[in-house]
Amino acid sequence: TTQVRAIAEVATAVTKGDLTRSIQVDARGEVAELKDNINTMIGNLRLTTERNTEQDWLKTNLARFTNMLQGQRDLTTVGRMLLSELAPLVGAQNGVIYLVEDAQTLRRLSVYSDQGLVGHPDRLSLHEGLIGQCAADARRVLITEMPHDAVPIGSGLFKAVPRNDIVLPVLFEGQVKAVIELASVNHFTDLQISFLDQLTASIGIVLNSIEATMQTEGLLTQSQQLAAELQTQQSELQQTNEQLEQKAQQ
């Protein structure tokens, strides 16, 4: 009866959603086989539940960032919003995003908890540092063991050397649009890395859309300026013709 009560107690806990329990009572024969099967069932159920929870977290946050960035038309605003929401979500305490301006230059778009004079420069060249190399290779870089003399993450109360650093290319149709670097005093989990890899694809679409809109607006502004100049020239030409006609009459 002790064995049956132990099995019943754990089974009841599982039905209430507690998947941390397992049957630990000593048993032999068919009861031992029943105990092992129930423990295996609980383990499989716990693993499935954890995977479903991770997938829900992944899909929910991807949708949240997509909705947040949708309709934005300013690159600086996008960079600031992105880092302010992304860094706390993945447990990063320092971050930066660089925009690829041309084939050889990256411009700093926004920072999160920058370290002043020893922080990130305004511009970087292609292949310069991990960020420049990431832009050149279009490949993620993950450092899991930071050196002890790395630039510390600091506040008014303490300074701590980051443990993990990740550099992510933001791609659109194979072309690098930006590079994001995040540093954390903790280790990035596989779920967080998977989330960052998927999020960069969405960010690439947003950045490309903003760039296309800015180019269209720039062309429209140039067209309006040309139209105004042509109208001015037409007015001047009309005045010249009137003056010539007056002189011809005289």
Side-chain angles (χ1 to χ4, degrees):
T1 57
T2 301
Q3 298 166 352
V4 174
R5 284 197 302 269
I7 294 173
E9 181 183 356
V10 173
T12 301
V14 171
T15 60
K16 294 180 179 179
D18 184 4
L19 300 178
T20 61
R21 303 284 296 274
S22 63
I23 303 170
Q24 301 295 334
V25 68
D26 293 333
R28 295 179 181 179
E30 294 177 348
V31 177
E33 185 177 353
L34 175 63
K35 181 193 77 171
D36 294 339
N37 289 336
I38 292 178
N39 284 338
T40 301
M41 179 191 69
I42 295 173
N44 292 336
L45 184 59
R46 180 170 58 248
L47 181 61
T48 301
T49 302
E50 290 175 354
R51 288 177 177 174
N52 290 338
T53 302
E54 290 178 353
Q55 289 300 313
D56 289 342
W57 181 89
L58 192 66
K59 293 178 182 178
T60 299
N61 284 290
L62 285 173
R64 181 168 70 89
F65 273 84
T66 300
N67 293 332
M68 179 182 69
L69 299 177
Q70 189 174 9
Q72 295 294 330
R73 302 180 62 180
D74 181 70
L75 290 173
T76 304
T77 302
V78 168
R80 184 175 62 253
M81 291 175 57
L82 181 63
L83 289 181
S84 63
E85 294 291 333
L86 181 60
L89 182 64
V90 298
Q93 291 79 37
N94 184 266
V96 65
I97 178 170
Y98 277 86
L99 188 69
V100 178
E101 282 195 327
D102 51 51
Q104 297 295 328
T105 309
L106 294 89
R107 175 174 62 88
R108 189 181 67 185
L109 188 61
S110 183
V111 295
Y112 182 86
S113 181
D114 193 32
Q115 300 302 306
L117 296 177
V118 294
H120 301 91
D122 293 335
R123 293 183 180 275
L124 289 172
S125 300
L126 204 66
H127 299 283
E128 183 179 353
L130 287 180
I131 294 177
Q133 193 63 45
C134 178
D137 297 339
R139 187 184 303 119
R140 168 167 55 86
V141 179
L142 175 63
I143 301 177
T144 56
E145 296 296 334
M146 298 288 288
H148 297 292
D149 57 350
V151 176
I153 297 172
S155 71
L157 299 177
F158 69 94
K159 289 184 178 181
V161 176
R163 292 184 179 180
N164 271 192
D165 186 80
I166 188 169
V167 186
L168 301 146
V170 178
L171 302 174
F172 179 79
E173 295 182 350
Q175 182 180 2
V176 180
K177 292 293 184 180
V179 176
I180 299 174
E181 182 180 20
L182 297 169
S184 174
V185 296
N186 301 311
H187 292 287
F188 292 116
T189 65
D190 292 339
L191 176 62
Q192 291 171 339
I193 294 174
S194 177
F195 168 73
L196 291 171
D197 286 338
Q198 296 184 46
L199 180 63
T200 51
S202 300
I203 299 173
I205 296 174
V206 172
L207 294 181
N208 183 75
S209 176
I210 294 176
E211 288 180 355
T213 301
M214 293 174 62
Q215 290 177 358
T216 302
E217 291 178 349
L219 292 174
L220 179 60
T221 301
Q222 291 180 2
S223 176
Q224 292 174 346
Q225 291 176 350
L226 288 174
E229 291 176 359
L230 288 175
Q231 186 175 1
T232 301
Q233 292 176 0
Q234 184 177 4
S235 298
E236 294 176 351
L237 182 60
Q238 184 176 359
Q239 292 177 358
T240 302
N241 290 335
E242 290 177 355
Q243 293 174 357
L244 289 174
E245 185 178 354
Q246 291 176 359
K247 291 181 178 179
Q249 290 177 355
Q250 293 174 358

